[in-house]
Amino acid sequence: MTETSSNQYTGSKIKILEGLEAVRKRPGMYIGTQDESGLHKMVYEVVDNSVDEAMAGHCNEVSVSILPNNIIQVKDNGRGIPTDIHPDKGKSTIEVVLTILHAGGKFENDAYKVSGGLHGVGVSVVNALSEYLEVEVHQNGKIHYQKYQTGIPVEDVKVIGDTTHRGTIVRFKPDASIFTTTEFLFDTLSARFREIAFLNKGLFIRIEDLRKADVAKNEFKFDGGIVSFVEYMTESKHPLHKVLHFTGEKENVLAEIAVQYCDTYSESVFCFTNAINNNLGGTHLEGFRTALTRTLNDQLKKDANLFKKQPLGLQGEDVKEGLSAVISVKIPQPQFNSQTKEKLVNAEVKGLMQTICGDGFTRFFEENPSVIKKILEKCILASKAREAARKARDLTRRKTVLEGGGLPGKLADCSERDPNKCELFLVEGDSAGGSAKQGRDRNIQAILPLKGKILNVEKARLDKILSNEEIRTLISAMGTSIGEDEFNIEKLRYRKIVIMTDADVDGSHIRTLLLTFFFRHMKQIIERGCLFVAQPPLYQLKFGREAIYVYSDREKEEILKQRPNDKVVIQRYKGLGEMNPEQLWDTTMDPTNRVMLQVKLADFVEAEDTFNILMGDEVSPRRRFIEHNSYKVANLDL
């Protein structure tokens, strides 16, 4: 059989993407996603260049502005992008940096000893994915300027004036045809820049939002560096000791560590490479953990009384309880798992970090015998709780469909077996649970009624958590197990977990308790975008036989203004059980009509602090929080 010319596999089928065209064709390869996360990554890429100047000692101030129409401006007082003619390309170095992938001053150690921008693609990718980008370089008394559209120069670099300053200014507008949203979040950007300021002692970073008349602004500068970072993390906790801080250098790897144990049960560890947040950790974290566990076991053997209490030694999981730490390394040639730089993969770093951290921990513990005793006692209690939790965890294991076995608790499962199509509604009370079971789509929606308020996991170890019947039922229903060694997100039975509680104070409390549980023990469910909060209507407005459901006071007032002469009966819903199954389906559960809020983790440090304040033991921070935020309360049940 002879192939037609249109079916033949020839050279004409091979497409060559020139310049930045590859970036626009496959943006996810360069910024991770094309949603909100990738959008903000654009800002970080530009700011990272300014931070590299700061780490090299040439910049001490960075200013970020969100301008009207979601235009971003980043300004620094560094040396500025070189403006001379590039020897290889025969054009201004500004244009080379902004239009050619892998063009930068970070591949050799002459310009930057260390940098976050390993790949040399950051600012050129931003240029490619922007509707337009403008760059100004203030250098040697002159302002050099160039503008681009979708990464293509509109004109050559030109001098547009004189200046007494130095540095680089980049303005860009993200391309709406690339991103699912172009709306920048001030709080998300602020969180990242606060981290950068902590990691770069003395660096001043300003962010301002100029999109509204009421300008929002944050300024960050921390002379204490990562020590201040840890103190900020533990501000609303009970620390067991002062912040342990040390630095070390081995084979061109410079590490700075700050550690503090508190009397809490959760762990908070942040890892950075050249000021870039590695939220998946990496070899520097592995070396840190190994050194900490080994050093604590060595110290345990030196104390005969404590050693008798823990004859088998401590495991890695035991030394995490109550740990707050910041790990910052600076490496000339870092290697990451991807352009998003979520995980450091330099194999040699693990061993070097073990040595640096082992020396630092040993020195600190030998100089502070009272501190090591407190830490070891806490770790021993955690070890005993771990063993108790292991036995209790067996009760939460959910058998697969093939293995059979009864359903956990009062779970009404769905018939669909594909987790990507399945939803689990966590419903407050049997009454609402009954309505939800009758009104649901039985093919894809499962219902788990919760009896009362679950345990506040912020104040409990895992063994106590697993003794709570409602939590055991919840874990069993989801199928993931629990605990760092056993939790498996791939076994999640439902890809949508929906918290559905009453619109009153008790409902808000139950929702907060559930959010605390997921944040502390199943964070990956949040990070994967699997956790949602249902939004049942607040009111039913009945105009004769016509019923309209509204979800806010503002919406209610708007409808009433539009129909001033109509007789209306207003029903305020406080409980889901007040709605019959049909109403609950139409308003809250029907995928074509419902409104749900996706739970996202934009600022881990702020979330950590908020859960500590609201759910922890300290009363005074909670009182201050309530006083500070009381004006925001819209509906208060009296």
Side-chain angles (χ1 to χ4, degrees):
M1 179 176 176
T2 305
E3 287 187 286
T4 64
S5 59
S6 61
N7 292 329
Q8 290 178 346
Y9 184 55
T10 63
S12 63
K13 301 292 186 181
I14 306 301
K15 182 173 178 58
I16 300 173
L17 301 177
E18 300 287 352
L20 298 180
E21 189 180 355
V23 180
R24 294 184 62 81
K25 188 74 174 175
R26 297 286 186 267
M29 292 177 59
Y30 299 90
I31 57 169
T33 64
Q34 291 167 246
D35 57 10
E36 189 179 279
S37 175
L39 178 73
H40 291 85
K41 178 71 174 173
M42 298 265 282
V43 187
Y44 307 153
E45 289 287 357
V46 180
V47 172
D48 285 348
N49 288 336
S50 299
V51 174
D52 288 341
E53 278 287 279
M55 288 194 293
H58 303 293
C59 168
N60 61 12
E61 185 172 322
V62 181
S63 179
V64 181
S65 301
I66 311 176
L67 305 177
N69 296 320
N70 285 293
I71 297 168
I72 292 290
Q73 176 176 286
V74 179
K75 178 180 180 181
D76 67 44
N77 64 348
R79 292 170 293 182
I81 301 172
T83 58
D84 57 345
I85 301 300
H86 192 275
D88 294 334
K89 297 297 182 179
K91 62 177 72 173
S92 171
T93 305
I94 294 176
E95 185 174 327
V96 172
V97 168
L98 283 162
T99 59
I100 299 178
L101 292 177
H102 308 291
K106 302 164 187 177
F107 297 102
E108 303 296 337
N109 292 341
D110 296 339
Y112 296 95
K113 184 177 180 182
V114 296
S115 74
L118 163 70
H119 300 85
V121 301
V123 71
S124 55
V125 166
V126 174
N127 192 15
L129 301 180
S130 295
E131 181 180 317
Y132 74 85
L133 181 145
E134 297 175 304
V135 59
E136 290 181 24
V137 177
H138 292 238
Q139 198 175 83
N140 299 323
K142 300 294 181 182
I143 303 174
H144 302 259
Y145 172 86
Q146 190 173 31
K147 183 175 182 178
Y148 309 81
Q149 289 182 340
T150 62
I152 301 171
V154 175
E155 55 191 345
D156 293 335
V157 175
K158 61 182 179 182
V159 174
I160 61 171
D162 299 326
T163 182
T164 58
H165 304 287
R166 74 169 197 173
T168 302
I169 302 174
V170 174
R171 281 182 297 275
F172 68 91
K173 180 177 175 59
D175 192 335
S177 68
I178 297 289
F179 295 95
T180 58
T181 177
T182 57
E183 186 76 18
F184 288 101
L185 301 179
F186 177 77
D187 290 340
T188 298
L189 293 174
S190 292
R192 172 60 182 149
F193 301 146
R194 183 180 59 234
E195 286 181 356
I196 291 174
F198 276 129
L199 291 164
N200 293 271
K201 186 186 301 185
L203 176 63
F204 177 80
I205 302 181
R206 176 193 297 110
I207 176 172
E208 55 184 359
D209 189 346
L210 303 176
R211 290 173 294 186
K212 298 179 181 178
D214 186 15
V215 175
K217 182 169 69 173
N218 278 328
E219 295 180 345
F220 304 111
K221 184 173 183 285
F222 303 103
D223 292 327
I226 66 171
V227 173
S228 297
F229 196 167
V230 172
E231 290 172 344
Y232 179 84
M233 292 164 57
T234 61
E235 191 174 25
S236 56
K237 302 178 183 178
H238 279 135
L240 299 181
H241 57 90
K242 66 180 181 179
V243 177
L244 184 171
H245 174 252
F246 59 86
T247 60
E249 185 171 7
K250 194 171 181 63
E251 297 182 20
N252 292 323
V253 173
L254 175 64
E256 184 179 11
I257 312 293
V259 172
Q260 190 170 50
Y261 275 93
C262 299
D263 64 356
T264 53
Y265 304 114
S266 57
E267 177 199 41
S268 301
V269 176
F270 291 88
C271 302
F272 300 88
T273 303
N274 299 352
I276 302 298
N277 188 350
N278 314 124
N279 61 348
L280 296 182
T283 49
H284 46 354
L285 177 61
E286 293 171 12
F288 168 86
R289 291 200 190 285
T290 301
L292 179 59
T293 305
R294 182 179 297 166
T295 306
L296 287 174
N297 273 314
D298 290 343
Q299 294 294 324
L300 181 62
K301 292 175 183 177
K302 293 179 181 179
D303 191 316
N305 292 325
L306 287 175
F307 186 68
K308 290 178 182 177
K309 298 179 183 179
Q310 188 62 25
L312 298 179
L314 301 170
Q315 295 185 14
E317 189 175 341
D318 304 330
V319 306
K320 295 177 182 180
E321 186 179 285
L323 174 68
S324 295
V326 175
I327 303 166
S328 176
V329 298
K330 294 180 179 178
I331 307 173
Q333 296 293 333
Q335 298 171 19
F336 300 102
N337 62 327
S338 67
Q339 168 61 17
T340 53
K341 305 168 188 173
E342 294 176 313
K343 186 175 183 179
L344 181 69
V345 297
N346 294 66
E348 74 280 3
V349 171
K350 180 178 179 179
L352 297 175
M353 283 292 289
Q354 286 183 34
T355 302
I356 293 171
C357 292
D359 292 344
F361 288 136
T362 300
R363 186 168 57 252
F364 177 85
F365 292 146
E366 288 177 348
E367 295 172 356
N368 297 272
S370 61
V371 172
I372 184 61
K373 187 172 183 180
K374 290 179 183 178
I375 294 174
L376 287 175
E377 287 175 343
K378 182 171 181 59
C379 293
I380 290 171
L381 287 175
S383 175
K384 293 178 179 178
R386 171 176 52 80
E387 181 59 24
R390 183 188 63 78
K391 297 176 181 178
R393 190 157 37 206
D394 292 338
L395 300 175
T396 70
R397 301 188 194 283
R398 180 177 181 180
K399 293 184 178 181
T400 67
V401 178
L402 295 176
E403 291 174 318
L407 295 177
K410 298 180 181 179
L411 174 69
D413 208 350
C414 54
S415 59
E416 176 61 55
R417 297 294 93 184
D418 182 356
N420 293 305
K421 299 177 182 178
C422 296
E423 305 175 345
L424 173 64
F425 285 80
L426 308 178
V427 185
E428 174 188 351
D430 289 336
S431 176
S435 293
K437 287 178 182 179
Q438 294 178 55
R440 65 180 171 137
D441 179 344
R442 295 171 182 266
N443 292 321
I444 63 170
Q445 294 177 332
I447 308 297
L448 180 62
L450 297 174
K451 182 174 61 179
K453 297 176 181 178
I454 69 168
L455 179 72
N456 178 7
V457 301
E458 190 72 13
K459 300 179 181 180
R461 285 191 173 95
L462 186 57
D463 59 326
K464 185 177 179 182
I465 292 170
L466 291 175
S467 68
N468 181 274
E469 183 179 352
E470 293 299 295
I471 291 181
R472 283 206 312 269
T473 299
L474 176 58
I475 297 168
S476 182
M478 290 188 293
T480 59
S481 190
I482 190 172
E484 182 173 348
D485 295 336
E486 295 201 21
F487 177 83
N488 187 347
I489 188 68
E490 302 305 326
K491 291 185 178 181
L492 185 62
R493 170 71 177 86
Y494 316 91
R495 287 298 185 263
K496 277 193 174 70
I497 310 294
V498 185
I499 299 172
M500 191 163 69
T501 59
D502 294 343
D504 59 11
V505 171
D506 283 338
S508 296
H509 190 200
I510 292 170
R511 183 167 62 248
T512 303
L513 288 167
L514 286 168
L515 289 171
T516 306
F517 169 74
F518 283 106
F519 178 72
R520 289 302 184 199
H521 294 282
M522 294 188 171
K523 198 178 299 149
Q524 285 188 51
I525 288 179
I526 300 176
E527 293 171 341
R528 289 281 187 97
C530 298
L531 187 61
F532 297 82
V533 176
Q535 297 293 289
L538 284 178
Y539 300 97
Q540 182 196 67
L541 307 182
K542 201 156 188 180
F543 300 92
R545 294 185 178 181
E546 180 188 8
I548 299 176
Y549 298 97
V550 296
Y551 296 81
S552 68
D553 286 298
R554 178 181 296 180
E555 187 181 0
K556 179 192 72 172
E557 296 304 322
E558 286 295 323
I559 292 176
L560 293 178
K561 284 180 182 179
Q562 294 169 10
R563 306 175 70 162
N565 300 322
D566 293 356
K567 186 177 180 180
V568 60
V569 177
I570 303 175
Q571 180 180 359
R572 167 71 158 91
Y573 290 117
K574 288 192 177 182
L576 297 168
E578 296 177 16
M579 286 185 271
N580 61 43
E582 292 76 17
Q583 290 175 323
L584 193 57
W585 165 258
D586 290 338
T587 63
T588 314
M589 300 180 69
D590 182 356
T592 62
N593 295 326
R594 69 190 180 192
V595 176
M596 294 199 307
L597 301 180
Q598 187 177 41
V599 180
K600 295 185 177 182
L601 192 54
D603 185 349
F604 180 86
V605 179
E606 280 296 305
E608 168 88 13
D609 190 49
T610 301
F611 280 112
N612 284 331
I613 291 172
L614 295 181
M615 311 305 288
D617 289 320
E618 285 291 295
V619 176
S620 54
R622 186 153 52 246
R623 180 185 178 91
R624 289 194 299 269
F625 180 90
I626 293 171
E627 290 174 345
H628 180 72
N629 293 281
S630 59
Y631 73 95
K632 298 178 182 178
V633 176
N635 296 294
L636 182 64
D637 296 321
L638 299 175

